[in-house]
Amino acid sequence: EKGGYEHFMLKEIFEQPKSIHDTLRGRLLVNEGIIKMAGIWDHLERINQAQKITIIACGTSWHAGLIGEYLIEEFARIPVEVEYASEFRYRNPIITDKDIVIAISQSGETADTMAAIKMAKEKGAFIYGICNVVDSSIARITDAGSYTHAGPEIGVASTKAFTSQLTILSLIALKLGKHNGNLSNQEFMRLITELDALPKKVEEVLESTHEITKEIAKHFVDAQNFLYLGRGYNFPAALEGALKLKEISYIHAEGYPAAEMKHGPIALIDENMPIVIIAPRQGHYDKIVSNVQEIKARKGKIIAVVNSGDTQVASMADYVIEFPETSECFSPILASVPLQLLAYYVAVYRGANVDQPRNLAKSVTVE
Ligand code: F6R
């Protein structure tokens, strides 16, 4: 049932070309130049007239939500807030019947997310669900939604569900932007063509990064800490990379927006601190270069996740992981793959139970 892989997690990482393809299937019709999503189409007016969209989720799904904020604000120009469901539900948030709430949950059973939805519903908000598990509690309680169709995710650490959530959020943002006139037809066509190319590119990333991440992981088996840095769309990707590492390898890891380094975490950097930097060419590249220079000056061990052929950041790095170029908005989908592999191999070399990390459950049905 693990299809020849040692763990479900590795199998699920390798399934991503297919799972992303399945998320897009029947929705992204590039030749016709359309995105078909009944859940959005049927409620288009209400969603486009929303004063704000609040995304609620936990854990990895919350990280997807953060990227959703960047996508929806950039392409649909609707204000978005992203909240941990557990905070949202206990803080009397300002939600009215003009609001849209997007709940993201792989399992569709997370207790805090469920409770937050119920509260927002009582206040009259329209609830849109993004779930992976068909007919799950959250899928049933929402007013409309889209399934991610990533297939069953068994490893406790979320991998393919995350990239499918990013794919769905991309579809939603582009569809809204197209229909509310914020996205020109030309730009829409360029972006959907790129989106359509992602399954193939993820396959390339798996092929080109598998061996190198395995090799890099060997050097960090005894690390005590890790920092993950990114900017823009890749700041949440850094948070997610750090979460993957900590939950399965039990190494303490933190994600940060690269520019926040100098507001505190830079004090931690010395020759013993591994720092993963996500720095694609499209996306604040020059700013990242100067962040990397600051780290280099303090002798941090740099693992650079950059586009193929990169020279500037790569030349300062101790280890280099390359992935193909895409629009900045889709780069977290590609950059996340080697970060999943890196976390996986570090955990495997430490002898950890990657599919069932200690203290964690696949779905958190109690608060
Ligand atoms: C991390 C992980 C958790 C879940 C979180 C929300 O790898 O799996 O952080 O993302 O418990 O779960 P869902 O998405 O099922 O609501």
Side-chain angles (χ1 to χ4, degrees), residues 8 10 24 76 132 188 192 258 306 314 333 359:
F8 282 110
L10 190 61
L24 294 172
N132 192 44
F188 178 79
I192 62 171
V306 292
I333 296 178
N359 310 337

Side-chain angles (χ1 to χ4, degrees), residues 191-240:
L191 288 161
I192 62 171
T193 306
E194 289 232 18
L195 192 52
D196 192 50
L198 286 178
K200 184 85 203 17
K201 285 189 182 174
V202 170
E203 202 168 307
E204 284 169 41
V205 175
L206 284 163
E207 264 167 42
S208 67
T209 65
H210 190 195
E211 286 311 313
I212 181 86
T213 48
K214 206 166 168 173
E215 182 53 37
I216 295 170
K218 283 185 195 152
H219 298 272
F220 295 100
V221 176
D222 296 318
Q224 310 255 309
N225 293 287
F226 258 81
L227 279 177
Y228 284 72
L229 304 176
R231 298 182 79 119
Y233 281 91
N234 285 298
F235 151 53
L239 296 180
E240 174 58 10

Side-chain angles (χ1 to χ4, degrees), residues 96-339:
T96 70
D97 57 5
K98 295 195 173 52
D99 279 316
I100 304 293
V101 167
I102 300 180
I104 308 176
S105 176
Q106 186 286 129
S107 63
E109 303 295 344
T110 300
D112 279 322
T113 310
M114 188 71 182
I117 292 170
K118 285 184 181 154
M119 194 182 89
K121 240 189 156 170
E122 275 166 26
K123 292 175 186 284
F126 178 84
I127 319 284
Y128 198 91
I130 298 176
C131 295
N132 192 44
V133 176
V134 175
D135 214 28
S136 52
S137 306
I138 292 175
R140 277 186 275 121
I141 198 184
T142 48
D143 297 304
S146 306
Y147 285 115
T148 40
H149 293 310
E153 190 179 66
I154 296 170
V156 164
S158 186
T159 53
K160 64 174 180 171
F162 175 67
T163 48
S164 280
Q165 289 165 345
L166 298 184
T167 305
I168 280 283
L169 288 161
S170 303
L171 288 168
I172 292 174
L174 296 179
K175 186 169 177 69
L176 290 176
K178 183 184 174 176
H179 290 300
N180 69 17
N182 282 302
L183 206 50
S184 72
N185 204 43
Q186 193 188 354
E187 188 60 358
F188 178 79
M189 285 309 296
R190 186 184 72 74
L191 288 161
I192 62 171
T193 306
E194 289 232 18
L195 192 52
D196 192 50
L198 286 178
K200 184 85 203 17
K201 285 189 182 174
V202 170
E203 202 168 307
E204 284 169 41
V205 175
L206 284 163
E207 264 167 42
S208 67
T209 65
H210 190 195
E211 286 311 313
I212 181 86
T213 48
K214 206 166 168 173
E215 182 53 37
I216 295 170
K218 283 185 195 152
H219 298 272
F220 295 100
V221 176
D222 296 318
Q224 310 255 309
N225 293 287
F226 258 81
L227 279 177
Y228 284 72
L229 304 176
R231 298 182 79 119
Y233 281 91
N234 285 298
F235 151 53
L239 296 180
E240 174 58 10
L243 177 62
K244 281 307 79 125
L245 186 76
K246 69 187 133 191
E247 69 182 328
I248 60 169
S249 76
Y250 318 137
I251 294 174
H252 171 246
E254 276 193 85
Y256 256 96
E260 277 293 310
M261 281 270 305
K262 51 166 69 77
H263 299 283
I266 200 161
L268 292 167
I269 297 178
D270 62 13
E271 66 280 5
N272 296 317
M273 179 64 90
I275 300 148
V276 177
I277 292 164
I278 312 167
R281 232 170 256 124
Q282 303 194 33
H284 321 282
Y285 187 77
D286 294 339
K287 299 282 178 193
I288 283 261
V289 169
S290 57
N291 299 139
V292 177
Q293 284 162 344
E294 289 160 359
I295 295 164
K296 187 79 188 156
R298 288 158 185 86
K299 302 193 169 56
K301 290 278 171 294
I302 299 171
I303 302 163
V305 183
V306 292
N307 285 144
S308 314
D310 182 281
T311 50
Q312 246 185 312
V313 170
S315 70
M316 290 184 276
D318 297 271
Y319 304 93
V320 178
I321 299 170
E322 293 189 339
F323 70 99
E325 209 163 323
T326 182
S327 292
E328 188 201 353
C329 62
F330 304 133
S331 59
I333 296 178
L334 300 182
S336 292
V337 173
L339 299 189

